[in-house]
Amino acid sequence: SYVASKLVYGKFEPDELSDYLEEIAGRVQFTGWFFGHYHKDTGFVTTDNNVYTCMYRKVIRLDEIDYLSKEE
């Protein structure tokens, strides 16, 4: 999967739920996608400026994230 290829470098086997969530991500418009499946605190930005944030131990307040509050 695309997200796994960016984060885990072959350490996780593809699974049905992750594939399904990536299918949804490909169909909807979003600015920030938050997930915790890969047990690490990291993230990346795609070429179309979507931000993927993987959270494991980190806790953040969503109302303090600048890119989520931008006005269209």
Side-chain angles (χ1 to χ4, degrees), residues 2-42:
Y2 176 73
V3 171
S5 71
K6 293 294 231 177
L7 299 175
V8 297
Y9 313 107
K11 295 179 184 176
F12 283 87
E13 293 293 320
D15 63 87
E16 190 174 330
L17 179 58
S18 294
D19 291 343
Y20 174 70
L21 293 172
E22 285 199 32
E23 181 181 329
I24 291 172
R27 293 181 181 189
V28 299
Q29 290 183 333
F30 63 93
T31 304
W33 189 276
F34 297 85
F35 57 99
H37 181 66
Y38 297 102
H39 296 200
K40 56 190 339 186
D41 292 315
T42 189

Side-chain angles (χ1 to χ4, degrees), residues 45-64:
V45 179
T46 63
T47 55
D48 53 353
N49 291 322
N50 289 329
V51 179
Y52 285 79
T53 304
C54 184
M55 298 175 62
Y56 181 51
R57 291 184 177 95
K58 186 176 186 179
V59 176
I60 58 173
R61 290 180 52 105
L62 296 179
D63 61 351
E64 293 177 354

